[in-house]
Amino acid sequence: MAHSAARHLGIHIDRTRDDVYAYASGPANLPAWALGLGGSIERDGDAWVAPDAPMGRVTVAFVPPNDLGVLDHDVTLPDGEVVNNPVRVITDGAGSLLVFTLRRPADATDEEFARDAEMVTADLTRLKELLELA
């Protein structure tokens, strides 16, 4: 599917890049902050399955662990469509900057794209709050 636009949604987190990466790269931690994937996630072989995501059962697959702060992950929707989500954690002073690239599907309305951006921003804010309280 072609994408007509993208938005880079970033948030500063008062934790080191390594701390943010270690937590955010753990699929088992997703239910605590990524509410768009629902309230639970289960390991299924090499993949992780969110059985109660709002859009139905989805599979999440992260890139292999790395030292670059790359948290890219593919979400396979119930209809088989794969949505690639580029995510980076970069050093930002004594803390870090988490940047999520939200791609706009060609058929999304302005309102749908804005709603998706609000949901991702809310997830990033939850992640920030969890990590800064830890």
Side-chain angles (χ1 to χ4, degrees), residues 2-104:
H3 296 276
S4 58
R7 287 184 60 188
H8 303 289
L9 306 170
I11 193 164
H12 175 86
I13 300 175
D14 286 327
R15 293 289 296 267
T16 67
R17 184 188 82 155
D18 289 347
D19 287 348
V20 174
Y21 180 84
Y23 185 83
S25 66
N29 295 327
L30 286 170
W33 64 274
L35 298 187
L37 293 175
S40 67
I41 194 158
E42 306 160 353
R43 187 166 190 104
D44 185 5
D46 291 335
W48 288 84
V49 176
D52 59 353
M55 68 287 290
R57 181 182 171 90
V58 301
T59 302
V60 182
F62 279 89
V63 296
N66 60 83
D67 294 328
L68 304 173
V70 176
L71 292 168
D72 293 5
H73 57 283
D74 291 337
V75 176
T76 304
L77 303 177
D79 67 2
E81 178 185 358
V82 177
V83 178
N84 176 259
N85 297 291
V87 184
R88 302 292 185 275
V89 184
I90 57 177
T91 299
D92 187 24
S96 60
L97 179 66
L98 182 71
V99 180
F100 185 109
T101 300
L102 177 66
R103 295 178 175 165
R104 178 179 177 159

XYZ file of all heavy atoms in Angstrom, residues 2-104:
768
model
N 0.613 2.170 -0.870
C 1.387 3.412 -0.938
C 0.985 4.332 0.209
O -0.158 4.348 0.657
C 1.136 4.096 -2.269
N 1.959 5.075 0.673
C 1.701 6.023 1.753
C 1.881 7.424 1.204
O 2.860 7.710 0.522
C 2.662 5.786 2.921
C 2.456 4.445 3.555
N 1.499 4.215 4.509
C 3.068 3.268 3.348
C 1.541 2.944 4.865
N 2.481 2.347 4.178
N 0.939 8.291 1.521
C 0.980 9.630 0.965
C 1.690 10.630 1.858
O 2.073 11.688 1.394
C -0.448 10.121 0.680
O -1.208 10.102 1.873
N 1.876 10.313 3.123
C 2.511 11.255 4.034
C 2.977 10.512 5.274
O 2.603 9.366 5.506
C 1.519 12.358 4.427
N 3.793 11.199 6.058
C 4.256 10.629 7.322
C 4.452 11.771 8.304
O 4.685 12.913 7.911
C 5.553 9.864 7.135
N 4.329 11.438 9.582
C 4.618 12.391 10.658
C 5.603 11.735 11.608
O 5.467 10.561 11.933
C 3.344 12.747 11.431
C 2.414 13.653 10.657
C 1.216 14.074 11.455
N 1.587 14.808 12.652
C 0.724 15.147 13.605
N -0.541 14.819 13.493
N 1.116 15.808 14.663
N 6.582 12.516 12.033
C 7.543 12.041 13.024
C 7.090 12.558 14.382
O 7.062 13.770 14.604
C 8.956 12.522 12.684
C 9.397 12.091 11.320
N 9.694 10.779 11.016
C 9.550 12.781 10.174
C 10.029 10.697 9.751
N 9.944 11.898 9.215
N 6.709 11.640 15.246
C 6.211 11.984 16.569
C 7.295 11.668 17.581
O 7.699 10.521 17.720
C 4.937 11.186 16.869
C 3.837 11.312 15.810
C 2.731 10.314 16.064
C 3.294 12.731 15.771
N 7.792 12.691 18.252
C 8.898 12.491 19.176
C 8.563 12.949 20.575
O 7.716 13.825 20.769
N 9.250 12.328 21.540
C 9.073 12.710 22.936
C 10.405 12.546 23.657
O 11.110 11.559 23.456
C 7.947 11.884 23.606
C 7.553 12.497 24.932
C 8.336 10.428 23.733
C 6.211 11.988 25.454
N 10.744 13.541 24.454
C 11.958 13.460 25.267
C 11.643 12.646 26.520
O 10.604 12.842 27.150
C 12.450 14.854 25.667
C 13.629 14.791 26.589
N 14.922 14.700 26.125
C 13.716 14.757 27.938
C 15.739 14.627 27.159
N 15.039 14.653 28.270
N 12.558 11.752 26.859
C 12.400 10.923 28.054
C 13.656 11.104 28.904
O 14.777 10.966 28.400
C 12.191 9.435 27.688
C 10.941 9.277 26.826
C 12.095 8.577 28.948
C 10.705 7.874 26.300
N 13.467 11.424 30.163
C 14.593 11.637 31.077
C 15.175 10.312 31.558
O 15.204 10.016 32.758
C 14.165 12.506 32.274
C 13.986 13.955 31.892
O 14.719 14.447 31.003
O 13.098 14.610 32.465
N 15.594 9.506 30.624
C 16.304 8.247 30.869
C 17.288 8.074 29.716
O 17.071 8.585 28.614
C 15.344 7.050 30.906
C 14.370 7.034 32.070
C 15.011 6.739 33.424
N 15.584 5.418 33.514
C 14.940 4.354 33.973
N 13.677 4.448 34.387
N 15.546 3.180 34.025
N 18.355 7.323 29.948
C 19.341 7.127 28.897
C 18.740 6.360 27.728
O 17.730 5.652 27.874
C 20.565 6.352 29.414
O 20.154 5.016 29.722
C 21.188 7.036 30.622
N 19.396 6.487 26.592
C 18.960 5.748 25.415
C 18.927 4.258 25.706
O 17.990 3.555 25.319
C 19.893 6.039 24.235
C 19.417 5.358 22.952
C 20.430 5.500 21.880
N 21.439 4.454 22.095
C 22.210 3.959 21.150
N 22.152 4.427 19.942
N 23.073 3.013 21.429
N 19.950 3.755 26.402
C 19.994 2.320 26.700
C 18.819 1.895 27.574
O 18.244 0.821 27.375
C 21.312 1.953 27.372
C 22.498 2.029 26.408
O 22.283 2.118 25.177
O 23.645 2.003 26.899
N 18.454 2.726 28.560
C 17.312 2.407 29.430
C 16.011 2.357 28.627
O 15.202 1.440 28.789
C 17.160 3.442 30.543
C 18.219 3.329 31.629
O 18.949 2.316 31.670
O 18.314 4.281 32.438
N 15.813 3.372 27.791
C 14.582 3.433 26.991
C 14.533 2.252 26.029
O 13.512 1.570 25.911
C 14.467 4.771 26.238
C 13.264 4.770 25.293
C 14.359 5.931 27.228
N 15.640 1.987 25.361
C 15.683 0.881 24.410
C 15.410 -0.452 25.108
O 14.620 -1.265 24.613
C 17.036 0.834 23.689
C 17.109 -0.303 22.710
C 16.603 -0.154 21.429
C 17.634 -1.540 23.071
C 16.624 -1.208 20.526
C 17.663 -2.598 22.189
C 17.160 -2.420 20.917
O 17.166 -3.465 20.031
N 16.059 -0.664 26.247
C 15.892 -1.938 26.956
C 14.429 -2.191 27.299
O 13.928 -3.312 27.144
C 16.750 -1.956 28.220
N 13.715 -1.172 27.741
C 12.314 -1.358 28.122
C 11.409 -1.440 26.886
O 10.592 -2.360 26.756
C 11.847 -0.222 29.037
C 10.443 -0.433 29.540
C 10.196 -1.249 30.640
C 9.353 0.145 28.893
C 8.903 -1.478 31.089
C 8.060 -0.070 29.337
C 7.833 -0.873 30.430
O 6.553 -1.101 30.865
N 11.557 -0.481 25.986
C 10.647 -0.406 24.838
C 10.839 -1.558 23.862
O 9.905 -1.904 23.135
C 10.813 0.934 24.128
N 12.020 -2.172 23.837
C 12.245 -3.283 22.914
C 11.716 -4.604 23.459
O 11.725 -5.611 22.753
C 13.742 -3.423 22.598
O 14.463 -3.811 23.754
N 11.236 -4.621 24.689
C 10.688 -5.832 25.284
C 9.222 -5.991 24.936
O 8.379 -5.274 25.480
N 8.888 -6.895 24.027
C 7.489 -7.060 23.642
C 6.550 -7.296 24.829
O 5.411 -6.839 24.820
C 7.505 -8.260 22.701
C 8.887 -8.274 22.149
C 9.760 -7.800 23.279
N 7.035 -7.979 25.861
C 6.178 -8.246 27.019
C 5.775 -6.953 27.732
O 4.778 -6.939 28.461
C 6.880 -9.180 27.995
N 6.504 -5.864 27.506
C 6.177 -4.577 28.125
C 5.132 -3.784 27.344
O 4.598 -2.798 27.856
C 7.449 -3.717 28.260
C 8.449 -4.341 29.202
O 8.088 -4.988 30.175
N 9.725 -4.159 28.907
N 4.842 -4.186 26.117
C 3.926 -3.412 25.275
C 2.562 -3.134 25.907
O 2.069 -2.013 25.811
C 3.747 -4.095 23.918
C 4.936 -3.980 22.962
C 4.729 -4.893 21.760
C 5.145 -2.551 22.530
N 1.916 -4.101 26.553
C 0.588 -3.805 27.107
C 0.584 -2.662 28.135
O -0.440 -2.012 28.326
C 0.163 -5.120 27.754
C 0.904 -6.164 27.003
C 2.245 -5.531 26.695
N 1.715 -2.394 28.759
C 1.776 -1.328 29.767
C 1.747 0.061 29.150
O 1.361 1.016 29.810
C 3.043 -1.487 30.620
N 2.143 0.169 27.884
C 2.215 1.523 27.315
C 1.636 1.660 25.913
O 1.228 2.751 25.532
C 3.656 2.040 27.350
C 4.641 1.278 26.510
C 5.336 0.163 26.874
C 5.042 1.574 25.176
N 6.145 -0.248 25.840
C 5.994 0.606 24.788
C 4.700 2.580 24.260
C 6.593 0.601 23.533
C 5.304 2.582 23.007
C 6.239 1.601 22.660
N 1.555 0.603 25.148
C 1.049 0.681 23.775
C -0.389 0.184 23.734
O -0.666 -0.939 23.325
C 1.942 -0.122 22.840
N -1.307 1.030 24.185
C -2.700 0.601 24.303
C -3.347 0.282 22.963
O -4.333 -0.450 22.919
C -3.508 1.661 25.045
C -3.056 1.938 26.480
C -4.038 2.870 27.171
C -2.883 0.662 27.278
N -2.770 0.787 21.874
C -3.295 0.468 20.554
C -3.174 -1.009 20.218
O -3.796 -1.486 19.282
N -2.376 -1.735 20.996
C -2.229 -3.176 20.789
C -3.068 -3.990 21.760
O -2.990 -5.216 21.769
C -0.758 -3.585 20.907
C 0.143 -3.047 19.805
C 1.588 -3.415 20.077
C -0.296 -3.569 18.443
N -3.864 -3.328 22.569
C -4.730 -4.043 23.503
C -4.059 -4.278 24.837
O -2.968 -3.787 25.110
N -4.689 -5.066 25.677
C -4.231 -5.230 27.044
C -3.351 -6.434 27.312
O -2.943 -6.653 28.444
N -3.033 -7.228 26.280
C -2.178 -8.388 26.531
C -1.398 -8.736 25.271
O -1.772 -8.362 24.152
C -3.013 -9.590 26.978
O -3.837 -10.039 25.920
N -0.301 -9.452 25.489
C 0.504 -9.941 24.365
C 1.082 -11.288 24.772
O 1.401 -11.505 25.947
C 1.591 -8.924 23.958
C 2.164 -9.286 22.596
C 2.657 -8.788 25.026
C 2.820 -8.113 21.887
N 1.150 -12.193 23.813
C 1.615 -13.557 24.083
C 2.675 -13.938 23.066
O 2.569 -13.589 21.890
C 0.443 -14.538 23.940
C -0.764 -14.186 24.766
C -2.040 -14.860 24.261
O -2.015 -15.508 23.184
O -3.057 -14.726 24.941
N 3.674 -14.671 23.508
C 4.699 -15.166 22.591
C 4.118 -16.341 21.807
O 3.468 -17.218 22.369
C 5.941 -15.589 23.365
C 7.069 -15.943 22.425
C 8.391 -16.042 23.170
N 9.430 -16.143 22.171
C 10.236 -15.154 21.825
N 10.153 -14.002 22.409
N 11.138 -15.329 20.901
N 4.371 -16.353 20.499
C 3.936 -17.429 19.622
C 5.099 -17.746 18.692
O 5.240 -17.136 17.636
C 2.694 -17.011 18.843
C 2.127 -18.139 17.989
O 2.630 -19.276 18.076
O 1.175 -17.871 17.229
N 5.987 -18.644 19.119
C 7.202 -18.928 18.350
C 8.123 -17.719 18.378
O 8.460 -17.214 19.443
N 8.490 -17.216 17.211
C 9.351 -16.040 17.117
C 8.556 -14.746 17.102
O 9.134 -13.657 17.084
C 10.213 -16.109 15.847
C 11.264 -17.203 15.928
O 11.643 -17.571 17.062
O 11.702 -17.679 14.871
N 7.253 -14.836 17.084
C 6.399 -13.650 16.999
C 5.696 -13.396 18.331
O 5.703 -14.237 19.233
C 5.370 -13.834 15.892
N 5.115 -12.239 18.419
C 4.292 -11.865 19.571
C 2.907 -11.535 19.049
O 2.755 -10.837 18.045
C 4.906 -10.662 20.279
C 6.158 -11.025 21.011
C 7.417 -11.113 20.480
C 6.274 -11.379 22.382
N 8.304 -11.496 21.454
C 7.632 -11.661 22.620
C 5.365 -11.475 23.428
C 8.107 -12.034 23.868
C 5.833 -11.838 24.676
C 7.194 -12.123 24.892
N 1.892 -12.058 19.731
C 0.509 -11.889 19.291
C -0.260 -11.094 20.338
O -0.207 -11.413 21.529
C -0.170 -13.256 19.067
C -1.633 -13.086 18.709
C 0.572 -14.039 17.995
N -0.933 -10.045 19.865
C -1.838 -9.270 20.714
C -3.252 -9.717 20.345
O -3.801 -9.289 19.327
C -1.646 -7.772 20.477
N -3.834 -10.612 21.157
C -5.115 -11.216 20.774
C -6.311 -10.282 20.881
O -7.319 -10.503 20.222
C -5.252 -12.387 21.748
C -4.454 -11.990 22.939
C -3.312 -11.169 22.398
N -6.203 -9.239 21.712
C -7.371 -8.380 21.925
C -7.122 -6.934 21.514
O -7.648 -6.008 22.109
C -7.824 -8.461 23.389
C -6.731 -8.035 24.362
O -5.581 -7.806 23.934
O -7.038 -7.927 25.564
N -6.326 -6.731 20.462
C -6.114 -5.381 19.936
C -7.440 -4.842 19.415
O -8.314 -5.616 19.006
C -5.067 -5.402 18.830
N -7.624 -3.521 19.426
C -8.890 -2.943 18.968
C -9.286 -3.372 17.548
O -10.470 -3.489 17.248
C -8.633 -1.431 19.025
C -7.572 -1.276 20.066
C -6.708 -2.506 19.952
N -8.283 -3.658 16.696
C -8.594 -4.054 15.323
C -8.667 -5.562 15.153
O -8.809 -6.058 14.055
C -7.592 -3.429 14.352
C -6.173 -3.944 14.457
S -5.184 -3.448 15.878
C -4.879 -1.746 15.619
N -8.573 -6.289 16.264
C -8.589 -7.748 16.237
C -7.213 -8.304 16.559
O -6.302 -7.589 16.951
N -7.048 -9.601 16.388
C -5.790 -10.285 16.694
C -4.697 -9.812 15.735
O -4.827 -9.966 14.516
C -6.007 -11.789 16.555
C -4.808 -12.638 16.856
C -5.161 -14.123 16.618
N -4.010 -14.970 16.694
C -3.591 -15.545 17.816
N -4.261 -15.362 18.937
N -2.516 -16.298 17.811
N -3.600 -9.256 16.286
C -2.489 -8.795 15.466
C -1.189 -9.447 15.931
O -1.072 -9.869 17.078
C -2.343 -7.254 15.489
C -3.609 -6.574 14.978
C -1.985 -6.751 16.871
N -0.236 -9.522 15.019
C 1.085 -10.057 15.321
C 2.087 -8.913 15.249
O 2.022 -8.077 14.344
C 1.468 -11.155 14.311
O 0.481 -12.188 14.365
C 2.819 -11.756 14.634
N 3.016 -8.897 16.212
C 4.039 -7.861 16.269
C 5.403 -8.529 16.157
O 5.685 -9.489 16.877
C 3.958 -7.073 17.598
C 5.000 -5.970 17.636
C 2.564 -6.508 17.812
N 6.225 -8.031 15.252
C 7.574 -8.575 15.062
C 8.571 -7.417 15.042
O 8.505 -6.549 14.172
C 7.654 -9.362 13.767
N 9.481 -7.393 16.024
C 10.517 -6.372 16.106
C 11.731 -6.773 15.279
O 11.980 -7.959 15.065
C 10.976 -6.190 17.560
C 10.074 -5.330 18.383
C 9.011 -5.883 19.075
C 10.282 -3.965 18.473
C 8.180 -5.107 19.847
C 9.454 -3.171 19.242
C 8.408 -3.732 19.935
N 12.517 -5.765 14.868
C 13.816 -6.057 14.264
C 14.673 -6.727 15.337
O 14.384 -6.610 16.533
C 14.503 -4.777 13.741
C 13.704 -4.152 12.608
C 14.772 -3.781 14.847
N 15.731 -7.423 14.934
C 16.608 -8.057 15.931
C 17.209 -7.026 16.890
O 17.376 -5.857 16.528
C 17.706 -8.703 15.079
C 17.088 -8.886 13.733
C 16.146 -7.735 13.559
N 17.516 -7.443 18.108
C 18.151 -6.538 19.070
C 19.403 -5.912 18.456
O 20.123 -6.565 17.688
C 18.517 -7.449 20.244
C 17.561 -8.595 20.133
C 17.327 -8.785 18.660
N 19.628 -4.639 18.770
C 20.750 -3.921 18.174
C 21.258 -2.848 19.129
O 20.595 -2.517 20.108
C 20.326 -3.317 16.834
C 19.182 -2.337 16.990
O 19.388 -1.173 17.323
N 17.950 -2.811 16.767
N 22.427 -2.310 18.823
C 23.037 -1.269 19.645
C 22.787 0.120 19.071
O 23.416 1.088 19.496
C 24.550 -1.496 19.741
C 24.892 -2.775 20.484
O 24.131 -3.153 21.402
O 25.905 -3.397 20.134
N 21.890 0.245 18.111
C 21.666 1.505 17.414
C 20.412 2.247 17.875
O 20.125 3.326 17.378
C 21.593 1.254 15.909
C 22.814 0.542 15.306
C 22.557 0.193 13.853
C 24.054 1.394 15.470
N 19.635 1.642 18.776
C 18.404 2.273 19.206
C 17.260 2.109 18.226
O 16.286 2.855 18.263
N 17.350 1.131 17.339
C 16.315 0.900 16.325
C 15.267 -0.049 16.902
O 15.581 -1.168 17.293
C 16.919 0.321 15.031
C 15.823 -0.010 14.021
C 17.932 1.293 14.440
N 14.028 0.441 16.955
C 12.904 -0.337 17.491
C 11.839 -0.603 16.423
O 10.659 -0.753 16.735
C 12.244 0.427 18.645
C 13.058 0.580 19.914
C 12.410 1.604 20.840
C 13.185 -0.754 20.597
N 12.244 -0.624 15.179
C 11.283 -0.856 14.104
C 10.530 -2.150 14.365
O 11.096 -3.125 14.867
C 11.982 -0.979 12.754
C 12.634 0.319 12.306
O 12.638 1.306 13.075
O 13.158 0.339 11.174
N 9.256 -2.136 14.025
C 8.459 -3.344 14.187
C 7.337 -3.376 13.162
O 6.850 -2.344 12.729
C 7.889 -3.463 15.607
C 7.063 -2.294 16.026
N 7.607 -1.093 16.423
C 5.723 -2.140 16.103
C 6.630 -0.248 16.731
N 5.481 -0.859 16.541
N 6.997 -4.578 12.757
C 5.886 -4.793 11.830
C 4.695 -5.285 12.621
O 4.832 -6.146 13.497
C 6.241 -5.852 10.778
C 7.295 -5.384 9.790
O 7.444 -4.159 9.613
O 7.962 -6.247 9.195
N 3.541 -4.742 12.296
C 2.287 -5.200 12.881
C 1.465 -5.812 11.750
O 1.152 -5.128 10.769
C 1.513 -4.043 13.558
C 0.165 -4.529 14.074
C 2.339 -3.424 14.677
N 1.165 -7.099 11.886
C 0.353 -7.773 10.881
C -1.087 -7.760 11.366
O -1.415 -8.294 12.427
C 0.828 -9.222 10.654
O 2.215 -9.187 10.290
C 0.017 -9.892 9.554
N -1.935 -7.098 10.583
C -3.350 -6.935 10.927
C -4.126 -8.210 10.619
O -3.642 -9.090 9.893
C -3.921 -5.749 10.147
C -3.190 -4.413 10.365
C -3.793 -3.326 9.480
C -3.222 -4.006 11.828
N -5.350 -8.317 11.137
C -6.144 -9.534 10.907
C -6.357 -9.864 9.430
O -6.461 -11.036 9.074
C -7.480 -9.213 11.592
C -7.128 -8.247 12.660
C -6.032 -7.397 12.058
N -6.381 -8.840 8.556
C -6.594 -9.102 7.131
C -5.304 -9.451 6.398
O -5.302 -9.638 5.184
C -7.290 -7.922 6.460
C -6.436 -6.658 6.408
O -5.265 -6.687 6.871
O -6.937 -5.616 5.909
N -4.184 -9.535 7.138
C -2.905 -9.888 6.531
C -2.050 -8.692 6.142
O -0.869 -8.861 5.810
N -2.608 -7.490 6.161
C -1.817 -6.297 5.847
C -0.734 -6.118 6.905
O -0.985 -6.282 8.094
C -2.706 -5.051 5.808
C -1.917 -3.784 5.522
C -2.752 -2.515 5.606
O -3.978 -2.590 5.853
O -2.158 -1.442 5.446
N 0.474 -5.793 6.453
C 1.594 -5.562 7.352
C 1.892 -4.065 7.388
O 2.108 -3.439 6.344
C 2.843 -6.338 6.901
C 4.028 -6.033 7.815
C 2.556 -7.834 6.875
N 1.875 -3.514 8.603
C 2.174 -2.095 8.794
C 3.554 -2.001 9.438
O 3.766 -2.519 10.535
C 1.117 -1.418 9.697
C 1.453 0.043 9.925
C -0.280 -1.575 9.096
N 4.488 -1.365 8.740
C 5.842 -1.184 9.262
C 5.882 0.113 10.055
O 5.433 1.150 9.583
C 6.855 -1.150 8.120
C 8.246 -0.868 8.642
O 8.734 0.249 8.548
N 8.884 -1.887 9.189
N 6.418 0.036 11.276
C 6.499 1.188 12.161
C 7.961 1.482 12.484
O 8.555 0.804 13.326
C 5.729 0.916 13.459
C 4.262 0.698 13.190
O 3.538 1.608 12.825
N 3.817 -0.531 13.362
N 8.563 2.487 11.831
C 9.932 2.859 12.151
C 9.968 3.627 13.473
O 9.206 4.576 13.670
C 10.351 3.767 10.991
C 9.333 3.536 9.911
C 8.079 3.157 10.630
N 10.858 3.199 14.376
C 10.986 3.845 15.688
C 12.467 3.911 16.024
O 13.192 2.930 15.836
C 10.235 3.067 16.799
C 10.301 3.806 18.123
C 8.782 2.814 16.401
N 12.896 5.065 16.535
C 14.291 5.240 16.920
C 14.370 5.830 18.319
O 13.555 6.673 18.689
C 15.025 6.203 15.989
C 15.033 5.812 14.530
C 15.877 4.568 14.294
N 15.994 4.227 12.895
C 15.119 3.502 12.215
N 14.035 3.057 12.805
N 15.315 3.213 10.956
N 15.380 5.393 19.073
C 15.714 6.014 20.349
C 17.102 6.617 20.152
O 18.045 5.894 19.814
C 15.756 4.999 21.510
C 16.004 5.724 22.829
C 14.480 4.192 21.580
N 17.200 7.923 20.340
C 18.485 8.594 20.159
C 18.839 9.369 21.422
O 17.956 9.800 22.167
C 18.474 9.517 18.922
C 17.352 10.558 19.006
C 18.343 8.717 17.652
C 17.313 11.540 17.855
N 20.132 9.518 21.652
C 20.593 10.275 22.814
C 20.180 11.737 22.654
O 20.303 12.310 21.571
C 22.123 10.147 22.952
O 22.423 8.767 23.135
C 22.645 10.947 24.124
N 19.695 12.322 23.736
C 19.261 13.719 23.744
C 19.713 14.323 25.067
O 18.984 14.252 26.065
C 17.744 13.804 23.593
C 17.234 15.225 23.428
O 18.000 16.090 22.992
O 16.046 15.451 23.738
N 20.942 14.851 25.091
C 21.501 15.346 26.342
C 21.713 14.178 27.290
O 22.227 13.134 26.906
N 21.263 14.357 28.549
C 21.381 13.273 29.534
C 20.254 12.254 29.382
O 20.285 11.192 29.993
C 21.355 13.851 30.947
N 19.266 12.571 28.561
C 18.131 11.679 28.347
C 18.136 11.120 26.943
O 19.185 10.868 26.346
N 16.942 10.929 26.415
C 16.822 10.389 25.074
C 15.591 10.963 24.390
O 14.698 11.519 25.023
C 16.753 8.864 25.116
O 15.636 8.450 25.869
N 15.585 10.811 23.083
C 14.447 11.212 22.272
C 13.941 9.961 21.574
O 14.719 9.254 20.913
C 14.866 12.269 21.248
C 13.791 12.775 20.306
C 12.718 13.545 21.086
C 14.406 13.675 19.243
N 12.674 9.658 21.762
C 12.043 8.531 21.087
C 11.243 9.106 19.925
O 10.403 9.992 20.130
C 11.129 7.767 22.045
C 10.450 6.542 21.452
C 11.455 5.427 21.221
C 9.352 6.053 22.366
N 11.517 8.632 18.716
C 10.847 9.145 17.525
C 10.132 7.995 16.819
O 10.757 6.994 16.456
C 11.836 9.818 16.550
C 11.093 10.348 15.324
C 12.598 10.939 17.245
N 8.836 8.152 16.651
C 7.977 7.172 15.977
C 7.538 7.807 14.660
O 6.977 8.898 14.659
C 6.758 6.869 16.852
C 5.848 5.792 16.328
C 5.795 4.557 16.956
C 5.033 6.003 15.230
C 4.949 3.560 16.481
C 4.185 5.024 14.753
C 4.137 3.790 15.386
N 7.791 7.133 13.548
C 7.340 7.632 12.253
C 5.985 7.012 11.944
O 5.882 5.796 11.764
C 8.356 7.307 11.146
O 9.598 7.924 11.485
C 7.875 7.836 9.803
N 4.967 7.859 11.934
C 3.609 7.414 11.634
C 3.348 7.654 10.156
O 3.377 8.795 9.693
C 2.598 8.192 12.487
C 1.130 7.893 12.231
C 0.802 6.456 12.627
C 0.250 8.876 12.984
N 3.130 6.586 9.442
C 2.845 6.684 8.022
C 1.347 6.762 7.798
O 0.581 6.063 8.449
C 3.420 5.485 7.296
C 4.921 5.453 7.365
C 5.445 4.234 6.690
N 6.898 4.263 6.659
C 7.633 3.207 6.397
N 7.063 2.049 6.153
N 8.939 3.301 6.380
N 0.983 7.596 6.847
C -0.434 7.772 6.538
C -0.825 6.862 5.378
O -0.306 7.008 4.273
C -0.713 9.226 6.160
C -2.149 9.475 5.784
C -2.382 10.924 5.439
N -3.752 11.136 5.012
C -4.349 12.308 5.025
N -3.685 13.373 5.425
N -5.589 12.420 4.629
